Amino acid sequence: MDLSDLSAAAIAREIGAGRLSAREITEATLARVDAVEPQVGSYLSVLHEIARETAARVDERIRGGETLPLAGVPLAVKDNMCLRGTRTTCASKILESWVAPYTATAVARMLEAGCVPIGKSNCDEFAMGSSCENSALGVTRNPYDLSRVPGGSSGGSAAAVAAYEAAIGLGSDTGGSIREPGAFCNLVGFKPTYGRVSRYGLVAFASSLDQIGPLARSVEDAALAYDVMAGHDPMDATSIDRPVEAAAGALPTDLRGLRIGLVREFETKGSGTELDAIYRRAYNDLEKLGAVLVDVSLPTADYGVATYYLIAPAECSSNLARFHGVRYGLRVDAPDVRAMYDRTRAAGFGPEVKRRILIGTYALSSGYYDAYYVRAQKARTLIARDFAEAFAACDAIACPAASCPAFEFNAKSDPYSMYLMDYYTIPMALAGLPALSVPCGWATPEGGEVPMPVGLQLCAPLFAERLLLGAAHAYEQATQHARARKPAIAQLEARS
Amino acid sequence: MPADAIDIRYVAELARIALTDDEVERFGKQLGDLLEHVNALSELDTASVPATAQVIESRNVSREDRLQPCLDREVVLAQAPQRQGGFFRVPRIIAE
């Protein structure tokens, strides 16, 4: 048995039954990390010591008779989430040496459930990007083709799980930052309903959109993580106080009676014939599993990217005002406070973060506020209404998770071409809906040598996580696309 | 929607970011391009549409005002770029 290949569900089961220890899994995972990190670069910090200490405590708790839903499961934590005593950088120079003095609620719940934190994973700086290339502190490569990006912004967590350097990765999704890297790395990437998982301890990017969720190698593992993390937290005033129906225990294997909407406006988006064929086959497979396919319309979804690139930067310009060198993080000394702010922020933020702060500041500034920010908020209303109308006719929506498979480094030098990567994921984020990507096939990108994973996106009404995970599970179990290929990393191939 | 070019230096001043001349030129062009894309929103008829700030029904959240444990002052100040005693030290703000 190769320990680091095990699913989170299997690890927890084996450890719970006393057939395996958290120590053994942790050592196997750390050995894998040490072997593949020079090629993949998933982590900004590897937590050898904390992982071993945590594993020892998990084994003690198991010996003491506790039942832990995620006993010994190796966890990758995106580096924009606080874990007490660890560097939490947001992949930014401005927080390069900042050590979190407390632990995020979502992370704390995963640890309480038995997870072992293996490392803090790379991401686009302050979660702004779709490829991890905006990290100021490291390069992460796609384990399926090292010349390609892992997606972003949660690309480090995705690469870690894909390369068996963790069984579950925590990501945050603002406009697609869990779902797109999930699609790029052959994973399930799940963004719950806005407010389902506490944002306490997640460094804020766009507070009305940010949501934490899992990246995993199966729907069941993602559901296990969701069940542990979801639920009200008094430390986050926007966290939702309503009961969470556990999803992991009751995942269906067919889709009988489920109405799945196909979005008319997404039909002609010309993703290329090979991709079109993959998605057509995916929709047919949903039908074969008992779903009824219905035609739905999201007329305003096409304005999603424009809406998002006003609202998210506006919120970011406000949230990132706190980084100015007074209380923590980088400070560039200057004779007066004003110059200290200006120089600290100039030196500490990378180009994409500066661009977004500038566009957000502009959109919120006097004279432009109504024309840009308020208009975008109104467009957001229309987008949410579109979904509400669509869900009157269907129970879930199926569409692509990304515009294309993982691309090569430096392929998107124009900022707007990168923004378009999230064309299919942004509308759901603006509407606050739960959505996930699940592997649906393999396509060889133009100029590429190996087939890369392709993700199907499923989206459900607010709070319908259980239905969503169930549909994804039925599809995953019937098709098994994720298992068709293994990552291209040398160590993994030598082993098999 | 307004069509005037962004005064990028003014916006950077508001945002408290010192920009190099090269950045002024590059960001100015990139933000101008982005605004052209987002101007598509003016095609939507939003006259009678309310603005959405947050999608989930939300209400004011209050709790009893009780003393609760919080971070230790030393833990917080240990992260300060510069400190003096129990304070964050910054350059002079008020003129002599």
Side-chain angles (χ1 to χ4, degrees):
Chain A
M1 182 164 56
D2 189 321
L3 297 184
S4 51
D5 289 17
L6 291 177
S7 70
I11 291 168
R13 193 173 54 234
E14 294 298 303
I15 291 178
R19 290 189 289 266
L20 192 66
S21 69
R23 187 185 57 78
E24 287 171 282
I25 281 288
T26 301
E27 291 303 333
T29 306
L30 288 173
R32 173 67 54 89
V33 169
D34 292 340
V36 304
E37 267 304 274
Q39 297 171 72
V40 184
S42 304
Y43 291 116
L44 292 173
S45 314
V46 179
L47 309 172
H48 292 93
E49 206 174 309
I50 292 174
R52 289 185 172 117
E53 285 167 12
T54 310
R57 272 202 306 280
V58 169
D59 284 332
E60 248 171 65
R61 289 171 70 187
I62 294 292
R63 278 195 300 272
E66 274 190 70
T67 305
L68 302 174
L70 295 172
V73 170
L75 181 71
V77 178
K78 186 176 181 180
D79 212 21
N80 62 350
M81 293 175 210
C82 292
L83 171 59
R84 191 159 67 92
T86 67
R87 232 166 42 114
T88 299
T89 67
C90 294
S92 178
K93 284 183 183 160
I94 213 157
L95 285 175
E96 190 168 4
S97 53
W98 186 68
V99 176
Y102 65 97
T103 299
T105 299
V107 178
R109 288 185 181 177
M110 292 296 276
L111 300 187
E112 177 59 27
C115 279
V116 173
I118 300 298
K120 301 297 295 291
S121 56
N122 197 16
C123 54
D124 288 290
E125 186 176 359
F126 284 102
M128 297 174 198
S130 308
S131 68
C132 247
E133 291 170 290
N134 293 334
S135 169
L137 303 181
V139 175
T140 303
R141 299 173 184 283
N142 192 310
Y144 286 88
D145 178 348
L146 296 170
S147 70
R148 291 175 186 275
V149 302
S153 66
S154 311
S157 282
V161 176
Y164 303 96
E165 299 178 85
I168 292 176
L170 294 187
S172 61
D173 190 310
T174 305
S177 280
I178 293 174
R179 291 164 283 162
E180 186 244 29
F184 279 16
C185 290
N186 194 29
L187 302 173
V188 175
F190 174 36
K191 180 199 95 75
T193 303
Y194 175 80
R196 267 297 202 197
V197 177
S198 168
R199 295 183 291 112
Y200 178 68
L202 169 70
V203 178
F205 156 22
S207 303
S208 79
L209 297 159
D210 296 342
Q211 182 58 201
I212 291 175
L215 288 138
R217 293 191 294 267
S218 70
V219 175
E220 185 188 15
D221 284 2
L224 280 167
Y226 167 75
D227 287 351
V228 163
M229 287 190 289
H232 182 243
D233 174 20
M235 298 302 280
D236 172 3
T238 60
S239 107
I240 295 159
D241 192 2
R242 65 152 73 196
V244 178
E245 289 182 307
L251 294 165
T253 50
D254 69 62
L255 300 172
R256 264 175 303 184
L258 201 73
R259 297 166 304 164
I260 294 186
L262 303 182
V263 182
R264 199 178 309 151
E265 288 78 9
F266 290 170
E267 281 287 301
T268 53
K269 276 295 155 194
S271 40
T273 45
E274 192 182 4
L275 282 179
D276 284 345
I278 287 171
Y279 286 117
R280 266 200 304 278
R281 188 186 61 200
Y283 305 148
N284 287 339
D285 286 340
L286 294 170
E287 199 170 23
K288 279 187 210 154
L289 283 162
V292 179
L293 299 183
V294 298
D295 183 45
V296 297
S297 176
L298 300 174
T300 326
D302 197 38
Y303 296 89
V305 174
T307 304
Y308 179 86
Y309 277 97
L310 289 169
I311 289 175
E315 294 186 21
C316 121
S317 72
S318 169
N319 275 325
L320 271 59
R322 72 191 62 169
F323 300 103
H324 45 42
V326 172
R327 291 188 288 263
Y328 48 78
L330 179 76
R331 175 189 292 189
V332 177
D333 285 317
D336 63 86
V337 162
R338 177 57 198 265
M340 184 187 89
Y341 294 161
D342 291 354
R343 291 180 203 171
T344 296
R345 291 162 65 78
F349 292 137
E352 182 61 23
V353 175
K354 286 179 187 169
R355 267 194 293 272
R356 296 209 196 179
I357 291 175
L358 292 171
I359 199 79
T361 303
Y362 179 73
L364 290 175
S365 65
S366 172
Y368 301 100
Y369 181 85
D370 287 326
Y372 288 114
Y373 183 61
V374 174
R375 192 182 289 266
Q377 287 188 307
K378 290 180 170 187
R380 187 175 185 180
T381 305
L382 293 176
I383 289 168
R385 279 184 192 168
D386 281 358
F387 277 106
E389 276 173 39
F391 283 129
C394 67
D395 305 299
I397 285 172
C399 67
S403 310
C404 62
F407 45 88
E408 291 179 306
F409 288 90
N410 304 314
K412 312 268 175 199
S413 52
D414 162 43
Y416 199 76
S417 67
M418 186 73 88
Y419 298 168
L420 287 175
M421 284 313 302
D422 296 328
Y423 180 88
Y424 294 106
T425 49
I426 279 175
M428 295 75 179
L430 289 168
L433 301 166
L436 56 75
S437 57
V438 57
C440 71
W442 299 80
T444 306
E446 210 175 311
E449 281 164 15
V450 284
M452 295 301 288
V454 178
L456 172 72
Q457 184 176 203
L458 296 171
C459 164
L462 295 170
F463 311 117
E465 282 90 354
R466 195 153 97 145
L467 177 146
L468 178 64
L469 288 162
H473 180 261
Y475 174 77
E476 170 198 61
Q477 293 302 307
T479 56
Q480 302 284 358
H481 289 295
R483 296 190 183 189
R485 301 184 68 86
K486 287 278 181 194
I489 310 161
Q491 276 81 352
L492 291 174
E493 287 191 340
R495 190 176 45 75
S496 54
Chain B
M1 283 199 175
D4 21 327
I6 303 183
D7 181 350
I8 201 81
R9 285 184 201 276
Y10 172 65
V11 176
E13 229 179 272
L14 292 176
R16 304 289 188 266
I17 301 175
L19 295 184
T20 63
D21 290 345
D22 173 60
E23 283 177 321
V24 168
E25 195 179 319
R26 191 155 35 96
F27 291 156
K29 189 189 171 309
Q30 288 169 338
L31 299 194
D33 290 349
L34 177 64
L35 286 187
E36 269 180 41
H37 289 291
V38 302
N39 275 335
L41 292 183
S42 57
E43 296 161 15
L44 294 171
D45 180 8
T46 54
S48 57
V49 178
T52 293
Q54 212 258 58
V55 283
I56 309 299
E57 45 173 301
S58 57
R59 51 188 167 70
N60 278 331
V61 178
S62 55
R63 60 166 171 79
E64 260 182 81
D65 190 18
R66 265 202 317 259
L67 197 62
Q68 288 177 22
C70 63
L71 291 176
D72 187 75
R73 186 201 286 188
E74 273 310 306
V75 171
V76 174
L77 280 168
Q79 304 269 345
Q82 255 194 305
R83 62 180 288 191
Q84 189 171 327
F87 301 97
F88 297 103
R89 190 184 161 92
V90 292
R92 177 177 292 278
I93 292 171
I94 302 161
E96 281 179 80

